[in-house]
Amino acid sequence: MLTLARQSLLEPAGIGDAELMRLIGRLTTGGVDYGDLYFQYSRSESWSLEESKVKSGSHSIELGVGLRAVAGEKTGFAYSDEIILPTLLEAAGAARAIAHQNAPANMPAAFHGETGRQLYRPADPLASLADDAKVKLLERVEQEARAQDPRVKQVMASLASTHESILVVRSDGVISGDVRPLVRLSVTVIVESNGRRESGSAGGGGRFGYDYFNQQDRALDYAREAVRQALVNLEAVDAPAGTMAVVLGPGWPGILLHEAIGHGLEGDFNRKGTSAFAGRIGQRVASEQCTVVDNGTIPDRRGSLNVDDEGTPTQNNVLIENGVLKGYMQDTMNARLMKVAPTGNGRRESYAHLPMPRMTNTYMLNGKFDPKEIIGTVSKGLYAVNFGGGQVDITSGKFVFSASEAYLIENGKITRPVKGATLIGNGPDVLTRVSMVGNDLELDPGVGTCGKEGQSVPVGVGQPTLKIDGLTVGGTQA
Amino acid sequence: MSTTTVATRPAVADRNSRERLAGVVGQVLAEAKKSGATAAEAGVNISQGLSVTVRLGEVETVEHTRDKGMGVSVYFGHRTGSASTTDFSEHALRETVRAACTIAKFTAEDDCAGLADPDRLAKDIPDLDLHHPWNPGTDRAIELARVAEDAARNQDKRIANSEGGSLTTHEGLEVYGNSHGFLGTVANTRYSLSVSVIAQDESGMQRDFWYTVARASDALESPESVGQTAARRSLWRLGSRKLATRQCPVLYEAPLASSLLSHFVSAVRGTSLYRQASFLLDALGQPVFADFVRIHEQPHLKGAQGSAAFDSEGVATQPRDLIRDGILQGYVLDSYSARKLKMQTTGNAGGVHNLTIDPGKDDLAALMKRMHTGLLVTELIGFGVNTVTGDYSRGAAGFWVENGEIQYPVEEITVAGNLKDMFRRIVAVGSDIDTRGNIRSGSILIENMTVAGS
């Protein structure tokens, strides 16, 4: 990975170890504790279909270098979209202007590369299928969706991929690289019956080539799944309003963990004491049945990375073990300030953004209950299986996530579908009310994107079926 | 702290840059023509800025931003392809045009694809007062952010922590051209100052924020006032409780009321209409809002956040009513969606321009009196809005109001309804219009919604 990244990023610009040393020298002069250079080159494409035609496609190239200088809790940052030594030296000067001491540069004796591992193949996904085959794939998805039911009125489908090479050069001498493929296929359908219209969406993806979608009929499955959801919604009645037992299905509903506890356990908020979870390591924050991890090392997953955007290898980090809070997710700066080890969670949207602690693939481990048994215990409640987005206020701990497919549970049985509704809860105590955890862990299909402070990064979530004894459901039927 | 000296860069929008970007557009259009494209359009932008954050009185981050980009769309008859790059070298521009042309070989014939009609392109481009260069330098920027944060922290002992005060500057230059011969240039600046602080007492922590934004630095609210407002808003929320589930009137505070109008825009956008993905299909000429409501676009307002003389296809923008007496007068269309709907573009490629709901006479306090008993919403979280059905369900925080007076802060509740009903049931629009965004609204009072809580 490192060799590939160096070849694509440094060699064309004629930048070798001597030039890197000069840049690190400029960046860390004047009392800078730590500095790094982040080289990035990425190519992306997307193709989209609507009204039975692939009408548009786009291609983009992004290239640049981010230069960061850290002194204590201060960070100076500048970037350049040209990999040219004089421009980079100027940016290094701007970034280190936060430091004002008369101190020498903080330079390594030599650089040493970390070869690292390979959780995914570095091959270019844009080239993994011929352009006409990409168009045909979307057309097949569309035809499959329409063939499901005459009530399907519109089909929108898109296919997208990115091929990104990154190289991190650090003032402690570490050089680390990664080559990251990412593909995604999404389908949305609109169905209509007796003047009522509803929609359904499905999709998937990960860090591999487009051939994934042609294997095991996956692309066609997305089409069928989107139609199924939309048709369910055609029958949906108004959702209930109020606090009730909620059973969440496996997979995507794991967005609960991402919002309710994930963001609150990111190191920056905890170092600053602005998170509702600050200072709570070792305390019980969930029922004993709950063990939650953030795992950046699962092969081929959308949220996985060989190394994070600071060159730290990703890990399988235990966040909550049998209900007890074990640890936070850290980047290098917050780890240093909190005197703990980095956890491989330092991520950034691009060279033009500063890294910060972010999630990778966040999920709850299996419990012991059969999902049917869990539903059987609910006399009146909600069963939610698909979700759109979510959001959290990390300070008050209040979080929401919005169901796009849900059913009423009456006397232990799933009865009628209900319209989408937002669920709201309090992060630090919602998991204490988890009374049953299923044995059917699933990860999401690979389309999740997380936003924080204006930066988007690909992530994953997952969980087994679980039951929360009381959660507020924001329907209209009071 | 000692003095920082960072080389002051020349303004982004000087004559030199304008000529250089126009040259890039010309080069790209020529390359497209050479490649056999029957039509093409290109947009180029450059920008630079500074963003500083001071937290607990200390500098936290100093970021220097400097971006550029070029995007091109090519047409081969009715087939199209697009590509973009951040590299302006001749080689990269040529490769980018080639990538767009390659895509156009595989996309389908589409009768509606193409440039805007030539007679709709802007001819006179008025100066909308959007460009006021100001380079405060790092030290001055830090000082402003620090004064704002200090004002919040000094307000009350219960302001226990902070996410910081931030000052951001932005100067940008955009040039758009197409093969009809249109070439338009826009220079703009944008400055913002914000503070986010955390209030704490025995009941827990609450965070809130305030910000000011302007095209000219002297139009910003004072740092003291930004900090004090942020502190006041955080303190207000201490001791928030849950409400029991109920039906009641809901009053959206002005900074959030604009979100209701953005849901309206999503539903009358051409793309949502021709895809039949809107709860306002075939609503032209129909009552959509309460009878007294007028919603209009003011693209030529001087110095406003959403002002533009032409849209992202070069089409001249025009002031117009979208809602008059509650009735839908027009959609939000670009050339493509207009052709799909057999209509004319409304100059909204890229979005609306200073969409404004006419203010009423009541300020927020008077609106609370008018509501008498109900929920004042000051924060919304989540994305529970379905544009296809109009179903609406979002997380909320705010205040419970009785007899027109705030009783206590509330949180961990949702507000839900259907946008079709909510728009028709608007009882009043406040005089407290928030002009910080592209959608300008006073506080909005809705007759009745479902509030879910304990």
Side-chain angles (χ1 to χ4, degrees):
Chain A
M1 292 288 184
L2 176 60
T3 315
L4 282 174
R6 279 191 82 128
Q7 276 168 3
S8 68
L9 288 161
L10 299 187
E11 285 175 18
I15 292 180
D17 278 9
E19 289 76 20
L20 293 177
M21 200 60 89
R22 231 182 117 192
L23 282 166
I24 290 285
R26 170 70 70 92
L27 187 62
T28 59
T29 304
V32 167
D33 303 327
Y34 171 86
D36 61 13
L37 314 171
Y38 180 85
F39 293 81
Q40 181 195 9
Y41 173 67
S42 72
R43 288 170 57 238
S44 304
E45 68 168 6
S46 74
W47 298 83
S48 47
L49 172 146
E50 59 174 25
E51 302 186 309
S52 312
K53 292 174 184 170
V54 174
K55 292 175 178 175
S56 60
S58 64
H59 179 271
S60 68
I61 290 177
E62 202 171 14
L63 172 70
V65 187
L67 303 96
R68 173 172 64 146
V70 180
E73 295 190 36
K74 293 188 182 69
T75 301
F77 181 58
Y79 55 86
S80 164
D81 53 16
E82 292 163 328
I83 305 188
I84 301 171
L85 192 61
T87 312
L88 296 182
L89 284 167
E90 185 200 333
R96 71 106 193 273
I98 45 141
H100 304 288
Q101 295 163 26
N102 190 8
N106 189 352
M107 287 168 66
F111 291 114
H112 45 95
E114 307 262 335
T115 33
R117 58 189 165 192
Q118 191 170 315
L119 296 172
Y120 31 81
R121 291 179 55 237
D124 177 7
L126 283 74
S128 64
L129 204 59
D131 287 344
D132 58 343
K134 296 169 192 167
V135 169
K136 283 210 178 67
L137 174 60
L138 287 173
E139 288 171 351
R140 279 173 53 219
V141 165
E142 195 260 349
Q143 286 152 12
E144 183 71 13
R146 288 194 186 269
Q148 297 305 299
D149 196 287
R151 289 171 289 180
V152 173
K153 297 299 174 198
Q154 293 281 331
V155 180
M156 282 80 78
S158 68
L159 186 67
S161 72
T162 298
H163 192 225
E164 174 182 79
S165 299
I166 66 118
L167 185 75
V168 186
V169 180
R170 313 196 319 204
S171 61
D172 62 3
V174 171
I175 295 190
S176 193
D178 200 358
V179 180
R180 302 165 175 168
L182 190 64
V183 299
R184 174 177 164 151
L185 196 163
S186 311
V187 195
T188 297
V189 302
I190 307 271
V191 295
E192 185 182 342
S193 174
N194 301 321
R196 179 169 171 182
R197 271 181 305 275
E198 292 283 351
S199 59
S201 297
R207 297 200 180 276
F208 28 67
Y210 287 132
D211 44 344
Y212 175 80
F213 300 121
N214 285 323
Q215 294 158 7
Q216 298 163 34
D217 261 6
R218 281 192 187 95
L220 304 185
D221 274 347
Y222 302 147
R224 295 189 278 258
E225 171 61 15
V227 174
R228 186 196 63 75
Q229 278 181 35
L231 294 177
V232 166
N233 284 329
L234 270 184
E235 309 297 323
V237 297
D238 286 344
T243 300
M244 61 197 72
V246 173
V247 176
L248 299 174
W252 243 133
I255 188 170
L256 161 80
L257 306 170
H258 180 99
E259 304 297 351
I261 62 152
H263 281 296
L265 298 180
E266 288 166 342
D268 45 356
F269 301 131
N270 288 284
R271 169 176 65 83
K272 297 175 187 176
T274 57
S275 165
F277 286 94
R280 298 194 60 180
I281 298 267
Q283 292 182 14
R284 174 166 299 283
V285 295
S287 86
E288 277 183 7
Q289 297 179 53
C290 299
T291 294
V292 181
V293 301
D294 182 82
N295 184 354
T297 71
I298 313 172
D300 297 338
R301 293 293 306 178
R302 182 173 166 87
S304 297
L305 301 170
N306 288 312
V307 292
D308 72 6
D309 295 322
E310 298 180 306
T312 309
T314 52
Q315 298 176 180
N316 181 7
N317 295 300
V318 178
L319 305 177
I320 294 173
E321 188 170 33
N322 302 323
V324 175
L325 182 58
K326 286 290 170 185
Y328 301 125
M329 289 167 276
Q330 300 288 1
D331 60 3
T332 53
M333 176 177 174
N334 289 288
R336 182 167 44 80
L337 294 169
M338 290 180 82
K339 299 188 169 57
V340 295
T343 58
N345 290 91
R347 303 184 64 184
R348 63 205 296 175
E349 181 178 303
S350 78
Y351 68 88
H353 300 84
L354 275 169
M356 57 181 144
R358 301 297 295 264
M359 284 173 262
T360 60
N361 305 294
T362 315
Y363 54 95
M364 184 182 288
L365 303 189
N366 263 330
K368 61 184 178 192
F369 292 98
D370 182 285
K372 282 200 190 73
E373 187 185 348
I374 296 177
I375 290 162
T377 63
V378 177
S379 57
K380 183 175 179 295
L382 189 80
Y383 177 54
V385 294
N386 269 300
F387 282 85
Q391 197 178 346
V392 61
D393 174 337
I394 51 113
T395 301
S396 70
K398 304 301 174 278
F399 70 94
V400 294
F401 56 136
S402 299
S404 54
E405 182 186 356
Y407 303 83
L408 288 179
I409 308 176
E410 294 168 300
N411 299 319
K413 294 210 164 54
I414 294 167
T415 56
R416 285 172 298 172
V418 294
K419 287 187 171 198
T422 288
L423 278 57
I424 188 162
N426 182 38
D429 70 35
V430 67
L431 295 188
T432 63
R433 292 202 299 274
V434 171
S435 57
M436 298 174 93
V437 178
N439 56 13
D440 57 342
L441 169 64
E442 273 181 37
L443 299 179
D444 75 88
V447 293
T449 297
C450 168
K452 175 178 172 185
E453 291 170 27
Q455 295 194 40
S456 295
V457 296
V459 295
V461 296
Q463 66 175 34
T465 297
L466 57 84
K467 176 183 164 189
I468 302 169
D469 281 343
L471 191 61
T472 301
V473 177
T476 51
Q477 290 307 100
Chain B
M1 198 181 116
S2 61
T3 314
T4 310
T5 42
V6 175
T8 306
R9 294 206 177 96
V12 150
D14 60 7
R15 205 171 123 212
N16 201 356
S17 303
R18 289 169 195 254
E19 282 170 8
R20 187 163 64 94
L21 294 203
V24 170
V25 169
Q27 202 180 327
V28 167
L29 295 179
E31 188 64 33
K33 191 171 181 186
K34 215 167 78 186
S35 308
T38 48
E41 56 189 328
V44 183
N45 64 78
I46 55 172
S47 68
Q48 71 178 19
L50 174 69
S51 173
V52 304
T53 301
V54 171
R55 179 171 173 268
L56 300 177
E58 299 288 332
V59 175
E60 183 169 69
T61 55
V62 176
E63 298 185 49
H64 301 269
T65 63
R66 190 183 202 182
D67 294 287
K68 65 183 200 293
M70 188 285 291
V72 57
S73 292
V74 296
Y75 301 89
F76 287 77
H78 291 297
R79 291 171 187 266
T80 181
S82 304
S84 67
T85 181
T86 55
D87 185 347
F88 287 2
S89 70
E90 228 166 279
H91 172 75
L93 294 177
R94 210 163 33 236
E95 285 300 300
T96 305
V97 171
R98 196 184 55 83
C101 293
T102 304
I103 286 167
K105 286 195 186 110
F106 298 97
T107 51
E109 287 278 336
D110 183 351
D111 289 349
C112 298
L115 300 178
D117 298 338
D119 60 340
R120 302 303 304 271
L121 297 172
K123 288 174 187 73
D124 306 309
I125 299 177
D127 177 10
L128 297 177
D129 198 28
L130 306 177
H131 187 232
H132 296 270
W134 171 61
N135 188 343
T138 314
D139 287 347
R140 175 75 182 137
I142 289 169
E143 188 190 327
L144 289 167
R146 181 179 282 133
V147 170
E149 198 211 20
D150 282 351
R153 292 173 65 213
N154 295 336
Q155 178 103 338
D156 192 292
K157 278 204 293 284
R158 292 169 297 165
I159 299 296
N161 202 341
S162 170
E163 289 186 330
S166 297
L167 182 93
T168 301
T169 73
H170 169 94
E171 184 191 13
L173 180 67
E174 293 165 26
V175 178
Y176 167 84
N178 65 32
S179 55
H180 285 327
F182 179 87
L183 189 74
T185 302
V186 180
N188 66 70
T189 50
R190 189 172 189 272
Y191 308 99
S192 68
L193 179 63
S194 65
V195 172
S196 172
V197 286
I198 291 163
Q200 186 166 21
D201 66 7
E202 63 291 343
S203 69
M205 292 194 290
Q206 294 289 346
R207 176 197 51 89
D208 211 326
F209 68 96
W210 194 248
Y211 73 97
T212 171
V213 58
R215 297 286 187 185
S217 61
D218 56 12
L220 290 171
E221 241 181 83
S222 79
E224 291 83 0
S225 135
V226 172
Q228 284 160 7
T229 306
R232 198 164 57 238
R233 292 180 71 89
S234 298
L235 290 164
W236 264 344
R237 295 173 64 160
L238 284 172
S240 286
R241 322 178 199 167
K242 234 173 141 155
L243 274 179
T245 302
R246 68 190 71 198
Q247 305 264 350
C248 66
V250 175
L251 175 56
Y252 284 76
E253 193 193 21
L256 301 175
S258 58
S259 69
L260 295 173
L261 302 186
S262 76
H263 304 322
F264 160 66
V265 171
S266 298
V268 294
R269 185 174 287 145
T271 315
S272 305
L273 296 168
Y274 78 73
R275 289 177 172 174
Q276 298 177 282
S278 164
F279 64 94
L280 291 177
L281 287 189
D282 305 317
L284 214 53
Q286 303 292 315
V288 168
F289 278 83
D291 298 346
F292 67 91
V293 171
R294 175 181 180 226
I295 299 174
H296 58 123
E297 269 193 289
Q298 309 183 83
H300 303 155
L301 275 185
K302 299 272 185 194
Q305 291 304 317
S307 302
F310 56 90
D311 73 1
S312 60
E313 299 178 306
V315 171
T317 56
Q318 279 168 357
R320 61 164 184 143
D321 284 358
L322 274 85
I323 299 285
R324 197 184 310 130
D325 301 328
I327 293 170
L328 183 62
Q329 308 294 321
Y331 294 142
V332 173
L333 307 176
D334 58 10
S335 295
Y336 180 81
S337 62
R339 287 175 195 137
K340 293 294 297 180
L341 296 166
K342 301 196 173 16
M343 302 177 95
Q344 291 288 316
T345 175
T346 56
N348 291 112
V352 293
H353 311 284
N354 299 322
L355 188 84
T356 308
I357 186 165
D358 271 358
K361 290 194 180 65
D362 293 341
D363 62 9
L364 185 61
L367 286 174
M368 282 196 281
K369 290 265 181 295
R370 187 156 174 187
M371 175 166 75
H372 191 267
T373 300
L375 178 69
L376 167 64
V377 176
T378 58
E379 181 171 282
L380 288 168
I381 59 172
F383 311 93
V385 182
N386 185 331
T387 306
V388 177
T389 60
D391 290 327
Y392 180 99
S393 166
R394 297 189 70 186
F399 299 87
W400 182 246
V401 174
E402 284 176 18
N403 298 316
E405 304 282 339
I406 285 178
Q407 303 297 307
Y408 49 85
V410 296
E411 64 180 3
E412 206 180 335
I413 54 174
T414 60
V415 287
N418 186 284
L419 287 166
K420 264 195 220 175
D421 304 328
M422 289 160 62
F423 292 161
R424 288 291 289 156
R425 291 187 189 175
I426 290 178
V427 177
V429 178
S431 59
D432 54 341
I433 194 154
D434 184 348
T435 58
R436 294 176 297 178
N438 181 30
I439 297 183
R440 305 153 73 98
S441 178
S443 298
I444 290 181
L445 175 58
I446 295 177
E447 188 188 338
N448 191 45
M449 290 179 72
T450 303
V451 175
S454 52

